[in-house]
Amino acid sequence: KAKSAGGGCYAAYHPDMLAGLVERLELEADLRVALERGQLQLHYQPTVDLVTSEVIGFEALARWQHPQRGLIPPAEFIPIAEATGLIVPLGRWVLEEACRQAVEWSAQSDGRSVKMAVNVSVRQFDRAELADVVARILAETGMPAAQLCLEMTESVLMTDTDDNLEQLLRLKALGVTLAIDDFGTGYSSLAYLRRFPVDTLKIDRSFVERLGALTDDTALADTIVQLGKSLGMATVAEGIEEFGQLAALREMGCHFAQGYYFSRPVPASEAGALFLGSAPAVAPTATPPVSVE
Ligand code: C2E
Ligand code: MG
Ligand code: MG
Ligand code: MG
């Protein structure tokens, strides 16, 4: 299977390392096939407006149903895609599929527009074509630029700074929204945040976790929300699992949220029903979680 191993010489390594390497090469070859054969899927996790309690859109999250190994999480296959360059066609497919889906839901919803967030790897910035790819996909799918949000980690701001800044400015000029994912876990400085055309900070789940009843450490999450406010950026809290976390974030003035409390990432059919059903994801003041399974 691992044809792409080529003529590499691995004999000097310990057998366990060889096994790990073979496994990785197999996965790489399989991922290539999966992309060609359309075996990847997107699941969608709703984003909730904490002021109106409505689902305003979704984050698209890639899923790989491997024919033998079952569901492989993105934490496993995205790094392989990044290391091999497969992230470029994979990322293009995710963008296309997510935009197509958002346009479809918007059309079915009499007048409401679906916001769609797509994760973009720092590796997709390596070649200076990302803005062209995004422009083409917006045109082909009919997706309004303002409804697309690109999520990237702080590493995009910290590496190849000038090249990446230029690409982000081009993306910004298209009218798309730019978000920093997992904010607070990287090393970006305030100077970088001001210099880059970032619209949204996504507060990493680890800070939201600490808002739970047992620990209740609000300082870090609150600092990020206030930072976003003072820089004129929106804030999205990731990983809300309990009502107490939701209440604390709403109190701080955090505008948007995602998490298992509202819904896990779900297949397109379920996500469509969530949006088109349009019931508030959670009553503005009440405590009981609403099951969306
Ligand atoms: P991310 O972009 O930070 O996505 C959020 C992750 O947290 C998702 O994991 C989601 O399922 C999970 N999550 C959401 N709410 C909760 C919660 O309440 N509790 C807990 N414990 N987890 C929650 P997932 O889908 O496994 O994705 C993991 C990461 O893989 C993503 O993190 C993103 O960095 C990457 N990824 C996924 N799809 C893509 C893609 O299409 N392209 C790229 N470049 N990366 C992707
Ligand atoms: Mg994300
Ligand atoms: Mg995140
Ligand atoms: Mg993450």
Side-chain angles (χ1 to χ4, degrees), residues 45 59 62-63 74 94 119 181-182 205 238-239 241 259-260 265:
Q45 184 176 40
E59 176 175 2
R63 296 289 180 263
V94 172
N119 293 286
D181 207 346
D182 308 336
R205 189 166 80 225
E238 300 189 280
E241 296 185 356
Y260 294 171

Side-chain angles (χ1 to χ4, degrees), residues 21-191:
L21 183 64
V22 168
E23 155 128 0
R24 204 177 157 90
L25 288 168
E26 259 179 29
L27 272 185
E28 178 194 332
D30 292 352
L31 183 57
R32 209 175 284 277
V33 169
L35 253 179
E36 281 162 9
R37 299 198 185 153
Q39 291 168 351
L40 295 182
Q41 282 187 347
L42 292 182
H43 282 190
Y44 298 92
Q45 184 176 40
T47 306
V48 175
D49 183 322
L50 290 179
V51 177
T52 65
S53 298
E54 280 179 343
V55 173
I56 57 138
F58 298 90
E59 176 175 2
L61 293 156
R63 296 289 180 263
W64 179 14
Q65 185 68 47
H66 189 284
Q68 284 86 41
R69 295 170 194 247
L71 196 67
I72 301 181
E76 248 174 79
F77 70 83
I78 294 289
I80 296 176
E82 288 179 328
T84 56
L86 279 173
I87 193 69
V88 170
L90 189 156
R92 208 184 300 133
W93 174 79
V94 172
L95 270 166
E96 248 164 39
E97 179 62 16
C99 287
R100 192 198 57 71
Q101 187 63 76
V103 168
E104 188 181 307
W105 285 331
S106 296
Q108 291 168 354
S109 77
D110 55 24
R112 289 190 308 144
S113 55
V114 178
K115 294 263 195 316
M116 185 61 75
V118 172
N119 293 286
V120 174
S121 159
V122 64
R123 296 273 76 86
Q124 288 171 267
F125 284 83
D126 290 350
R127 296 195 271 166
E129 62 180 21
L130 183 61
D132 298 329
V133 169
V134 170
R136 181 177 56 72
I137 290 172
L138 291 174
E140 283 176 7
T141 59
M143 175 76 162
Q147 282 167 235
L148 177 64
C149 175
L150 301 180
E151 296 188 1
M152 62 208 77
T153 55
E154 289 165 82
S155 52
V156 172
L157 279 47
M158 302 306 295
T159 54
D160 298 321
T161 311
D162 290 337
D163 286 349
N164 289 355
L165 175 58
E166 192 187 316
Q167 295 205 59
L168 290 172
L169 290 171
R170 288 177 63 206
L171 287 165
K172 200 63 214 140
L174 294 175
V176 303
T177 302
L178 303 176
I180 303 297
D181 207 346
D182 308 336
F183 184 76
T185 60
Y187 299 93
S188 57
S189 67
L190 293 181

